[in-house]
Structure formats: structure tokens, C-alpha cells
Amino acid sequence: MAGFFFGRGRTPEFAETEPSRPRGVIVWVHAPGALDFDALAPLAERLDEVFDGCTMLITSTEARTGPVPLEGLVRPVPQEGREDEFIAHWSPDMALWMETPDDPALLAAAARAAVPLVLVGAAVPPPTTGRARRVQRATFDRFGHILASSPAAADAILGLAPVRPRVEVTGPLIRLPDPPPCSEGERADFAALLATRPVWLALEPAASELGDILAAHRFVLTHAHRLLLIVLLPEEADADAAAELIASEGWSHARRSLEEEPGERTEVYLIDTPGEIGLWVRIAPVTFLGGTLAGGPRAPALAAASLGSALIAGQEGRGDDPVLRRLTEGGALHRISGPADLGLAVDDLLSPERSAVLAHNAWAIATDGAEVIDRLAALADAALRKRRG
């Protein structure tokens, strides 16, 4: 391969600066932003099974998060002008573009090499006009299959480019959590202890959110006099400070770490023992996701969704958290504009009819990532068979 010259220096051959291409199947995954490797792990496992060994080549324009899945290989996005060298060196059997079709030059290089292209979790494209819209249309047209994240995204893409047979709604590729475990005997004991009492859960709230949560609880108690609030603290939380705040406001409360149980007059039950999310989400039909009012670390939304609880969240993470975005788009999350609306949301979702709809949608979304993986595995298998005759 000929070298490229810039000024007086000669750019090294691409192969001189890159690891050797592994043998066997390579599926190239490109993300125009940060990529959660935990979400890729189940797909990597499935492709490894389908092809009896598969290397996942990963490029991303932002820092990665999580461990590299299986035989994954992380490489930088090629410099401008070296896209064809990148494709020739790695010779991927298939390319998965995540959410947004960025980098037209890199896409064009893949298309010239006849690499099968699939857009995964396609989002609503930004509005454009004129020449930019034509470029956008041509970019979408390069993909052999487009898996849209939502019906709205599919409609927007179909309105932009004549790709109707190639667009389907599958949702995004998201992390598939194992439902948090719990002791069934303990769950049954607490369910019997609480009997018909209404219950709601504040899941891993930030310290600055606890006052707003207690205010919401006080509001709902005016309608539901036997209501119990369970506060499950993050493992790193200051449990003593939370207990002091609860006591200072005059709440009748019990504390899990002291081996106390909620009695008939207990209004707040503080869970300050680790590893019990599976128990309390199963107990509470309504869950507020901590960290979505004040920001910072957010409660594990998919873990709660996988257990069929109706979910409430504030506006934090609305745009940058793909899990919260998917839950919102799928009608599985009650979004509130601020702390003042939390009590109203809890009061509304204490209705079994209202909470059942959200809980069903949440459970469906928490488990539908398996369908995306099945579809991608089938597309990869078909692409490889066609590519190798």
C-alpha cells in the first residue's frame, strides 16, 4: 500500500501502527459518542456462539465505559484521509453503527469495501434543509438495515430517505440486567407483615433529595393514611445523617440495620443494609429513581424495571441516559418536572390500574434488549453467508 506524504514527513504504513488482524469473523462496532461496553457484552457473547469465535472491533469518538466484551479490540477512529486503510487492514465482516450515522467519510469507505452496514438504535435525525438534508439522506441510504429506537425515529427516517423495507423498530441496544435476587421466604414474610398497606420506594436517593422525598410522603399521607415510605439508601450514603433527618422531622420510623421491622404506625422504613434492592423493589409497586431530581449517581433503572415496579423520575438524565430515554419513550416512566410534583405522581400511581400500565411497559423494555440481540445475530449470520458465498 502506498504511503501518504504530508510536508517533509512520511505517514507510516497503517499496518505498522496497528495490531495484526485477528483470524476469523470481525464485527466492527462504531459509536459517535460514549459507548457502554456492558450493553455490548450480551451481543458479543451471542455472536461468539453464532460464529464459533468472533472478534468485536470497537471504535468510539468518546471515552469508553465498562470492560471490553469478550474478544473485543478497541481502536481509535482513523484519521481523516486514512479511512480506506482502516477498512482494508481490519477487513470487517459487518459494521454496526450506533444511534447516529456520523463520519460520512468513514461510512463511504465501508460502503466502497462492500462491508454490510447496520444502524442500531437509530435516533430521530436532527432537522436540516437544502444540501445538508441531501447529505443526510445519502448517509442513511448506505445502511442495509436500520433498527430504529422508537416509532418516532422510524417515521422521521422514513420521511427523510426512501428506505422503507430496511427500517424496523427494535428499540436500542441496552444493558440486559439480571433481576436482582432476594430471598423468597423473606419477601413473603414482609409481604404478610405489610398486608394491605400501600407502599412506595425511594431507590438510592441522593442525600439532597431526601427532604423532598419526605415532603412528598407527607403530602400523600393526607390521602393514604397508612402509606409506608421505604428509603433504600445507596451503599455509600451516610445512613446516620439520613436517620437524623427523618427523626428531626418527627417521623415514626424504623431502621433495617438495627434489625427493626415496620410496625402498623411506622411511616418511614430506612434500609441501610447493602444488597437488598431485589427485596424492596419486589415489595413496592411504585419506585422513585434516586438521582433524577438532584443529579449525580442515578438509581439502577433497569433493575427496578425488570421487577415490574412503576417508575417515577425527575428530569436529570433525560437527554443523556439511554435507559431513561428508552423507558420514557416506551411509556414506562412517569416523568416529573421537579420536587413539587413527586407527591402528586406517587398519589396517582398508588392506583393499581395506573401503576400496572407503567409496570408492564417497564418490564417489557427491560427484557426487549434480547430481541435486538437476536435480530443482530440473525443479520450478522446472513451477512457473513452472503459475503462468503
Side-chain angles (χ1 to χ4, degrees), residues 1-6 9-14 16 82 85:
M1 182 181 297
F4 290 84
F5 292 87
F6 295 92
R10 180 181 181 276
T11 301
E13 295 284 351
F14 194 86
E16 294 176 7
R82 311 207 71 170
E85 292 177 277

Side-chain angles (χ1 to χ4, degrees), residues 14 31 48 52 63 90 135 138 165 178 185 188 303 310 329 333 356 361 366:
F14 194 86
D48 200 55
D52 193 22
W90 293 111
V135 171
D178 292 326
E329 291 174 349
L333 186 62
N361 292 343

Side-chain angles (χ1 to χ4, degrees), residues 8-385:
R8 296 181 181 178
R10 180 181 181 276
T11 301
E13 295 284 351
F14 194 86
E16 294 176 7
T17 62
E18 290 292 287
S20 299
R21 184 198 190 279
R23 293 185 177 183
V25 176
I26 288 185
V27 174
W28 171 29
V29 178
H30 175 76
L35 186 60
D36 184 351
F37 285 6
D38 287 345
L40 286 180
L43 175 61
E45 291 175 2
R46 181 63 183 279
L47 293 176
D48 200 55
E49 293 173 359
V50 170
F51 299 120
D52 193 22
C54 173
T55 298
M56 187 171 278
L57 174 67
I58 302 169
T59 56
S60 174
T61 58
E62 294 183 21
R64 64 180 177 85
T65 60
V68 179
L70 292 180
E71 297 298 321
L73 183 62
V74 181
R75 303 307 305 154
V77 177
Q79 297 175 355
E80 184 178 354
R82 311 207 71 170
E83 296 88 358
D84 289 303
E85 292 177 277
F86 177 89
I87 301 296
H89 176 74
W90 293 111
S91 185
D93 295 284
M94 183 182 192
L96 307 180
W97 229 263
M98 311 305 290
E99 297 188 6
T100 304
D102 74 329
D103 204 333
L106 190 56
L107 272 172
R112 283 193 293 272
V115 177
L117 289 165
V118 178
L119 183 59
V120 184
V124 176
T128 59
T129 57
R131 183 178 180 278
R133 183 176 176 83
R134 290 193 294 274
V135 171
Q136 196 178 55
R137 181 183 298 115
T139 300
F140 276 101
D141 199 41
R142 293 194 185 280
F143 291 93
H145 295 274
I146 298 174
L147 309 185
S149 62
S150 67
D155 290 342
I157 294 168
L158 290 171
L160 179 71
V163 290
R164 183 171 300 278
R166 291 178 275 153
V167 178
E168 52 190 294
V169 179
T170 61
L173 182 65
I174 57 178
R175 189 181 314 177
L176 298 177
D178 292 326
C182 79
S183 163
E184 175 55 27
E186 194 167 29
R187 186 210 63 79
D189 289 344
F190 269 101
L193 177 67
L194 298 174
T196 59
R197 287 192 68 178
V199 178
W200 71 292
L201 171 68
L203 180 59
E204 300 188 357
S208 59
E209 293 174 329
L210 186 53
D212 293 322
I213 290 167
L214 294 173
H217 187 50
R218 195 177 302 278
F219 169 81
V220 185
L221 275 172
T222 62
H223 304 89
H225 303 294
R226 300 177 65 242
L227 179 66
L228 175 67
L229 165 63
I230 299 175
V231 178
L232 194 162
L233 295 177
E235 291 187 14
E236 69 278 7
D238 187 339
D240 290 336
E244 288 174 9
L245 175 61
I246 293 168
S248 70
E249 293 196 8
W251 294 100
S252 172
H253 65 283
R255 189 167 171 177
R256 176 75 160 159
S257 64
L258 301 180
E259 300 185 355
E260 298 171 343
E261 293 185 345
E264 182 62 29
R265 295 182 180 276
T266 303
E267 297 167 310
V268 180
Y269 192 29
L270 183 64
I271 309 302
D272 52 355
T273 48
E276 295 195 323
I277 180 175
L279 172 60
W280 302 111
V281 175
R282 284 177 170 88
I283 291 292
V286 177
T287 297
F288 164 71
L289 298 174
T292 60
L293 283 178
R298 288 190 281 272
L302 274 184
S306 68
L307 296 176
S309 188
L311 306 179
I312 302 171
Q315 295 298 312
E316 289 292 329
R318 184 178 186 91
D320 64 349
D321 190 318
V323 172
L324 293 180
R325 185 168 66 243
R326 173 68 176 126
L327 290 169
T328 302
E329 291 174 349
L333 186 62
H334 187 128
R335 283 282 189 182
I336 56 176
S337 59
D341 295 329
L342 180 55
L344 291 170
V346 173
D347 195 33
D348 178 42
L349 291 180
L350 286 177
S351 163
E353 293 79 12
R354 285 281 296 126
S355 62
V357 173
L358 262 70
H360 172 78
N361 292 343
W363 179 85
I365 289 169
T367 57
D368 72 359
E371 297 181 12
V372 182
I373 290 172
D374 288 344
R375 183 64 178 132
L376 287 174
L379 290 174
D381 186 43
L384 188 65
R385 291 177 184 276

